[in-house]
Structure formats: C-alpha cells, structure tokens
Amino acid sequence: MRKILVIHGPNLQLLGERQPQVYGRQDLAAVNRLLRATARRRGVGVTIVQSNHEGEIVELIGRAKRAYQALVINPAAYTHTSVAIRDAIEASGIPAVEVHLSNIYAREPFRRHSLIAPVCRGQVSGFGVTSYRLGLEAAVELALSEAKPSRRARREG
Ligand code: DQA
C-alpha cells in the first residue's frame, strides 16, 4: 500500500481557537478525521504528525524517504522562513504538496512569499480544511503515478 506523510507545522494544534475568522472553526482532530477518511477512500495509508519544531520537521522529512511515497505539508509560519525545511524536502526527493488553510497571497506581505513552494510539485492555498483534502488527493495521484514498482511487481511484470 502506498503511504503518505502529512505534516502540520507550528501552532496548528491551536486550530479552531486561533483566529477562527482566518483559519476556520474546525480543530486539528477534525482535519485529521477528514484526511484519514480521504486516505481510506483512495486506498492509501496516511501518517499525520504535528510539530512546533523546525528541526523535528527536518528529521521527519529526512526519515520519510524510505517509508513514504508522497508528502503533504502545511509548514505554517516556517513557510516564510525555513531554508532548512525547503532543503530537506528537496534532498528527500519525495513528491510534496504544500497546503495552507488561508490564501497566503491575500494576506500580509510577509506571508505572500513561500520558501517551500519551489521544491513542491504544487500548492493548495485558501480553501480552509478543503485545502488539506485537495492536497491529499494530489499527493495520492503523485504517489500512485510515481512510486517505484515493488520487486514483486517487477518480477511478475
Ligand atoms: C498558514 C499560513 C501561515 O502564514 C501561518 O503562519 C500559519 C497557517 C495557513 O494554513 O493558512 O500558521 O500556513
């Protein structure tokens, strides 16, 4: 089974209570339920992690190479600051999809630039919780179309 890693960056544990007019009223558990239901429907496995620590996110991405065929990441505030996360995604070679609840291009100038976007296959921004569902759907397509065939599939094919 193809596996997808979903990473929620800093402060996303506060979803539902943090600026609901910007980020919506659903909490992180509701987002994760939607992600798991989407993964089940598409027949892929999903691992979901939230971290407030840049180094931890870098390590998660570094370890993901062996176990996951695609990555969905909301880097949150690190979107705008983290060369380290950008480099980790690039070095991993895992196809990645960047997601944002809010439309970062319609907000303060410092949010309008993503250091992460150039090393991702694409970005979904501005659709609230739906950004995650669409981002995961895109990641499933990437995982299915690009994953290396298993040794058994190679033998039998
Ligand atoms: C965010 C947008 C970022 O600018 C912000 O720092 C976040 C959340 C979003 O999902 O809209 O924490 O990534």
mmCIF file with all atom_site columns, all heavy atoms in Angstrom, residues 45-60:
data_model
loop_
_atom_site.group_PDB
_atom_site.id
_atom_site.type_symbol
_atom_site.label_atom_id
_atom_site.label_alt_id
_atom_site.label_comp_id
_atom_site.label_asym_id
_atom_site.label_entity_id
_atom_site.label_seq_id
_atom_site.pdbx_PDB_ins_code
_atom_site.Cartn_x
_atom_site.Cartn_y
_atom_site.Cartn_z
_atom_site.occupancy
_atom_site.B_iso_or_equiv
_atom_site.pdbx_formal_charge
_atom_site.auth_seq_id
_atom_site.auth_comp_id
_atom_site.auth_asym_id
_atom_site.auth_atom_id
_atom_site.pdbx_PDB_model_num
ATOM 1   N N   . GLY A 1 45 ? -2.329 4.561  2.722  1.00 0.00 ? 45 GLY A N   1
ATOM 2   C CA  . GLY A 1 45 ? -2.082 4.742  4.147  1.00 0.00 ? 45 GLY A CA  1
ATOM 3   C C   . GLY A 1 45 ? -1.672 6.182  4.411  1.00 0.00 ? 45 GLY A C   1
ATOM 4   O O   . GLY A 1 45 ? -1.106 6.842  3.528  1.00 0.00 ? 45 GLY A O   1
ATOM 5   N N   . VAL A 1 46 ? -1.953 6.678  5.607  1.00 0.00 ? 46 VAL A N   1
ATOM 6   C CA  . VAL A 1 46 ? -1.557 8.045  5.937  1.00 0.00 ? 46 VAL A CA  1
ATOM 7   C C   . VAL A 1 46 ? -1.017 8.099  7.364  1.00 0.00 ? 46 VAL A C   1
ATOM 8   O O   . VAL A 1 46 ? -1.550 7.441  8.264  1.00 0.00 ? 46 VAL A O   1
ATOM 9   C CB  . VAL A 1 46 ? -2.736 9.034  5.713  1.00 0.00 ? 46 VAL A CB  1
ATOM 10  C CG1 . VAL A 1 46 ? -3.828 8.864  6.757  1.00 0.00 ? 46 VAL A CG1 1
ATOM 11  C CG2 . VAL A 1 46 ? -2.275 10.474 5.682  1.00 0.00 ? 46 VAL A CG2 1
ATOM 12  N N   . THR A 1 47 ? 0.090  8.832  7.535  1.00 0.00 ? 47 THR A N   1
ATOM 13  C CA  . THR A 1 47 ? 0.621  9.111  8.863  1.00 0.00 ? 47 THR A CA  1
ATOM 14  C C   . THR A 1 47 ? 0.555  10.615 9.039  1.00 0.00 ? 47 THR A C   1
ATOM 15  O O   . THR A 1 47 ? 0.970  11.363 8.146  1.00 0.00 ? 47 THR A O   1
ATOM 16  C CB  . THR A 1 47 ? 2.092  8.652  8.981  1.00 0.00 ? 47 THR A CB  1
ATOM 17  O OG1 . THR A 1 47 ? 2.153  7.252  8.715  1.00 0.00 ? 47 THR A OG1 1
ATOM 18  C CG2 . THR A 1 47 ? 2.662  8.927  10.362 1.00 0.00 ? 47 THR A CG2 1
ATOM 19  N N   . ILE A 1 48 ? 0.020  11.072 10.169 1.00 0.00 ? 48 ILE A N   1
ATOM 20  C CA  . ILE A 1 48 ? -0.188 12.506 10.381 1.00 0.00 ? 48 ILE A CA  1
ATOM 21  C C   . ILE A 1 48 ? 0.598  12.949 11.618 1.00 0.00 ? 48 ILE A C   1
ATOM 22  O O   . ILE A 1 48 ? 0.477  12.342 12.683 1.00 0.00 ? 48 ILE A O   1
ATOM 23  C CB  . ILE A 1 48 ? -1.682 12.820 10.574 1.00 0.00 ? 48 ILE A CB  1
ATOM 24  C CG1 . ILE A 1 48 ? -2.502 12.268 9.389  1.00 0.00 ? 48 ILE A CG1 1
ATOM 25  C CG2 . ILE A 1 48 ? -1.897 14.324 10.723 1.00 0.00 ? 48 ILE A CG2 1
ATOM 26  C CD1 . ILE A 1 48 ? -4.007 12.371 9.579  1.00 0.00 ? 48 ILE A CD1 1
ATOM 27  N N   . VAL A 1 49 ? 1.410  14.002 11.450 1.00 0.00 ? 49 VAL A N   1
ATOM 28  C CA  . VAL A 1 49 ? 2.231  14.490 12.555 1.00 0.00 ? 49 VAL A CA  1
ATOM 29  C C   . VAL A 1 49 ? 2.089  16.014 12.649 1.00 0.00 ? 49 VAL A C   1
ATOM 30  O O   . VAL A 1 49 ? 2.048  16.692 11.626 1.00 0.00 ? 49 VAL A O   1
ATOM 31  C CB  . VAL A 1 49 ? 3.731  14.168 12.311 1.00 0.00 ? 49 VAL A CB  1
ATOM 32  C CG1 . VAL A 1 49 ? 4.557  14.538 13.523 1.00 0.00 ? 49 VAL A CG1 1
ATOM 33  C CG2 . VAL A 1 49 ? 3.933  12.714 11.951 1.00 0.00 ? 49 VAL A CG2 1
ATOM 34  N N   . GLN A 1 50 ? 2.008  16.522 13.875 1.00 0.00 ? 50 GLN A N   1
ATOM 35  C CA  . GLN A 1 50 ? 2.062  17.978 14.071 1.00 0.00 ? 50 GLN A CA  1
ATOM 36  C C   . GLN A 1 50 ? 3.299  18.288 14.892 1.00 0.00 ? 50 GLN A C   1
ATOM 37  O O   . GLN A 1 50 ? 3.583  17.609 15.876 1.00 0.00 ? 50 GLN A O   1
ATOM 38  C CB  . GLN A 1 50 ? 0.801  18.467 14.810 1.00 0.00 ? 50 GLN A CB  1
ATOM 39  C CG  . GLN A 1 50 ? 0.624  19.989 14.860 1.00 0.00 ? 50 GLN A CG  1
ATOM 40  C CD  . GLN A 1 50 ? 1.388  20.658 16.005 1.00 0.00 ? 50 GLN A CD  1
ATOM 41  O OE1 . GLN A 1 50 ? 1.536  20.072 17.077 1.00 0.00 ? 50 GLN A OE1 1
ATOM 42  N NE2 . GLN A 1 50 ? 1.888  21.857 15.773 1.00 0.00 ? 50 GLN A NE2 1
ATOM 43  N N   . SER A 1 51 ? 4.054  19.311 14.471 1.00 0.00 ? 51 SER A N   1
ATOM 44  C CA  . SER A 1 51 ? 5.236  19.682 15.241 1.00 0.00 ? 51 SER A CA  1
ATOM 45  C C   . SER A 1 51 ? 5.431  21.192 15.235 1.00 0.00 ? 51 SER A C   1
ATOM 46  O O   . SER A 1 51 ? 5.223  21.857 14.221 1.00 0.00 ? 51 SER A O   1
ATOM 47  C CB  . SER A 1 51 ? 6.488  19.011 14.668 1.00 0.00 ? 51 SER A CB  1
ATOM 48  O OG  . SER A 1 51 ? 7.634  19.471 15.362 1.00 0.00 ? 51 SER A OG  1
ATOM 49  N N   . ASN A 1 52 ? 5.870  21.681 16.388 1.00 0.00 ? 52 ASN A N   1
ATOM 50  C CA  . ASN A 1 52 ? 6.188  23.106 16.505 1.00 0.00 ? 52 ASN A CA  1
ATOM 51  C C   . ASN A 1 52 ? 7.674  23.363 16.331 1.00 0.00 ? 52 ASN A C   1
ATOM 52  O O   . ASN A 1 52 ? 8.129  24.494 16.507 1.00 0.00 ? 52 ASN A O   1
ATOM 53  C CB  . ASN A 1 52 ? 5.735  23.616 17.884 1.00 0.00 ? 52 ASN A CB  1
ATOM 54  C CG  . ASN A 1 52 ? 4.227  23.588 18.015 1.00 0.00 ? 52 ASN A CG  1
ATOM 55  O OD1 . ASN A 1 52 ? 3.512  23.901 17.060 1.00 0.00 ? 52 ASN A OD1 1
ATOM 56  N ND2 . ASN A 1 52 ? 3.726  23.203 19.179 1.00 0.00 ? 52 ASN A ND2 1
ATOM 57  N N   . HIS A 1 53 ? 8.427  22.297 15.992 1.00 0.00 ? 53 HIS A N   1
ATOM 58  C CA  . HIS A 1 53 ? 9.889  22.405 15.994 1.00 0.00 ? 53 HIS A CA  1
ATOM 59  C C   . HIS A 1 53 ? 10.479 22.199 14.605 1.00 0.00 ? 53 HIS A C   1
ATOM 60  O O   . HIS A 1 53 ? 10.311 21.127 14.000 1.00 0.00 ? 53 HIS A O   1
ATOM 61  C CB  . HIS A 1 53 ? 10.469 21.376 16.971 1.00 0.00 ? 53 HIS A CB  1
ATOM 62  C CG  . HIS A 1 53 ? 9.908  21.530 18.343 1.00 0.00 ? 53 HIS A CG  1
ATOM 63  N ND1 . HIS A 1 53 ? 10.337 22.491 19.229 1.00 0.00 ? 53 HIS A ND1 1
ATOM 64  C CD2 . HIS A 1 53 ? 8.896  20.879 18.968 1.00 0.00 ? 53 HIS A CD2 1
ATOM 65  C CE1 . HIS A 1 53 ? 9.636  22.422 20.347 1.00 0.00 ? 53 HIS A CE1 1
ATOM 66  N NE2 . HIS A 1 53 ? 8.750  21.449 20.209 1.00 0.00 ? 53 HIS A NE2 1
ATOM 67  N N   . GLU A 1 54 ? 11.186 23.185 14.149 1.00 0.00 ? 54 GLU A N   1
ATOM 68  C CA  . GLU A 1 54 ? 11.750 23.140 12.795 1.00 0.00 ? 54 GLU A CA  1
ATOM 69  C C   . GLU A 1 54 ? 12.654 21.918 12.600 1.00 0.00 ? 54 GLU A C   1
ATOM 70  O O   . GLU A 1 54 ? 12.537 21.197 11.600 1.00 0.00 ? 54 GLU A O   1
ATOM 71  C CB  . GLU A 1 54 ? 12.536 24.430 12.541 1.00 0.00 ? 54 GLU A CB  1
ATOM 72  C CG  . GLU A 1 54 ? 13.054 24.574 11.135 1.00 0.00 ? 54 GLU A CG  1
ATOM 73  C CD  . GLU A 1 54 ? 13.742 25.918 10.918 1.00 0.00 ? 54 GLU A CD  1
ATOM 74  O OE1 . GLU A 1 54 ? 14.186 26.543 11.920 1.00 0.00 ? 54 GLU A OE1 1
ATOM 75  O OE2 . GLU A 1 54 ? 13.826 26.351 9.759  1.00 0.00 ? 54 GLU A OE2 1
ATOM 76  N N   . GLY A 1 55 ? 13.556 21.683 13.575 1.00 0.00 ? 55 GLY A N   1
ATOM 77  C CA  . GLY A 1 55 ? 14.496 20.565 13.448 1.00 0.00 ? 55 GLY A CA  1
ATOM 78  C C   . GLY A 1 55 ? 13.786 19.223 13.403 1.00 0.00 ? 55 GLY A C   1
ATOM 79  O O   . GLY A 1 55 ? 14.196 18.301 12.683 1.00 0.00 ? 55 GLY A O   1
ATOM 80  N N   . GLU A 1 56 ? 12.713 19.107 14.178 1.00 0.00 ? 56 GLU A N   1
ATOM 81  C CA  . GLU A 1 56 ? 11.959 17.857 14.188 1.00 0.00 ? 56 GLU A CA  1
ATOM 82  C C   . GLU A 1 56 ? 11.305 17.624 12.818 1.00 0.00 ? 56 GLU A C   1
ATOM 83  O O   . GLU A 1 56 ? 11.296 16.500 12.301 1.00 0.00 ? 56 GLU A O   1
ATOM 84  C CB  . GLU A 1 56 ? 10.885 17.916 15.285 1.00 0.00 ? 56 GLU A CB  1
ATOM 85  C CG  . GLU A 1 56 ? 10.258 16.570 15.550 1.00 0.00 ? 56 GLU A CG  1
ATOM 86  C CD  . GLU A 1 56 ? 9.187  16.621 16.648 1.00 0.00 ? 56 GLU A CD  1
ATOM 87  O OE1 . GLU A 1 56 ? 8.992  17.677 17.276 1.00 0.00 ? 56 GLU A OE1 1
ATOM 88  O OE2 . GLU A 1 56 ? 8.540  15.589 16.838 1.00 0.00 ? 56 GLU A OE2 1
ATOM 89  N N   . ILE A 1 57 ? 10.809 18.691 12.217 1.00 0.00 ? 57 ILE A N   1
ATOM 90  C CA  . ILE A 1 57 ? 10.187 18.572 10.890 1.00 0.00 ? 57 ILE A CA  1
ATOM 91  C C   . ILE A 1 57 ? 11.249 18.168 9.866  1.00 0.00 ? 57 ILE A C   1
ATOM 92  O O   . ILE A 1 57 ? 11.018 17.300 9.020  1.00 0.00 ? 57 ILE A O   1
ATOM 93  C CB  . ILE A 1 57 ? 9.470  19.890 10.505 1.00 0.00 ? 57 ILE A CB  1
ATOM 94  C CG1 . ILE A 1 57 ? 8.287  20.131 11.457 1.00 0.00 ? 57 ILE A CG1 1
ATOM 95  C CG2 . ILE A 1 57 ? 8.999  19.857 9.047  1.00 0.00 ? 57 ILE A CG2 1
ATOM 96  C CD1 . ILE A 1 57 ? 7.612  21.488 11.321 1.00 0.00 ? 57 ILE A CD1 1
ATOM 97  N N   . VAL A 1 58 ? 12.436 18.763 9.972  1.00 0.00 ? 58 VAL A N   1
ATOM 98  C CA  . VAL A 1 58 ? 13.541 18.405 9.070  1.00 0.00 ? 58 VAL A CA  1
ATOM 99  C C   . VAL A 1 58 ? 13.862 16.908 9.206  1.00 0.00 ? 58 VAL A C   1
ATOM 100 O O   . VAL A 1 58 ? 14.026 16.197 8.206  1.00 0.00 ? 58 VAL A O   1
ATOM 101 C CB  . VAL A 1 58 ? 14.790 19.263 9.387  1.00 0.00 ? 58 VAL A CB  1
ATOM 102 C CG1 . VAL A 1 58 ? 16.032 18.718 8.697  1.00 0.00 ? 58 VAL A CG1 1
ATOM 103 C CG2 . VAL A 1 58 ? 14.546 20.719 8.980  1.00 0.00 ? 58 VAL A CG2 1
ATOM 104 N N   . GLU A 1 59 ? 13.902 16.419 10.444 1.00 0.00 ? 59 GLU A N   1
ATOM 105 C CA  . GLU A 1 59 ? 14.234 14.999 10.654 1.00 0.00 ? 59 GLU A CA  1
ATOM 106 C C   . GLU A 1 59 ? 13.135 14.073 10.145 1.00 0.00 ? 59 GLU A C   1
ATOM 107 O O   . GLU A 1 59 ? 13.407 13.028 9.549  1.00 0.00 ? 59 GLU A O   1
ATOM 108 C CB  . GLU A 1 59 ? 14.540 14.740 12.132 1.00 0.00 ? 59 GLU A CB  1
ATOM 109 C CG  . GLU A 1 59 ? 15.915 15.267 12.471 1.00 0.00 ? 59 GLU A CG  1
ATOM 110 C CD  . GLU A 1 59 ? 16.277 15.108 13.933 1.00 0.00 ? 59 GLU A CD  1
ATOM 111 O OE1 . GLU A 1 59 ? 15.493 14.512 14.700 1.00 0.00 ? 59 GLU A OE1 1
ATOM 112 O OE2 . GLU A 1 59 ? 17.353 15.597 14.297 1.00 0.00 ? 59 GLU A OE2 1
ATOM 113 N N   . LEU A 1 60 ? 11.886 14.471 10.374 1.00 0.00 ? 60 LEU A N   1
ATOM 114 C CA  . LEU A 1 60 ? 10.755 13.662 9.861  1.00 0.00 ? 60 LEU A CA  1
ATOM 115 C C   . LEU A 1 60 ? 10.850 13.514 8.347  1.00 0.00 ? 60 LEU A C   1
ATOM 116 O O   . LEU A 1 60 ? 10.666 12.425 7.801  1.00 0.00 ? 60 LEU A O   1
ATOM 117 C CB  . LEU A 1 60 ? 9.432  14.365 10.179 1.00 0.00 ? 60 LEU A CB  1
ATOM 118 C CG  . LEU A 1 60 ? 8.855  14.182 11.569 1.00 0.00 ? 60 LEU A CG  1
ATOM 119 C CD1 . LEU A 1 60 ? 7.741  15.204 11.819 1.00 0.00 ? 60 LEU A CD1 1
ATOM 120 C CD2 . LEU A 1 60 ? 8.297  12.761 11.694 1.00 0.00 ? 60 LEU A CD2 1
#
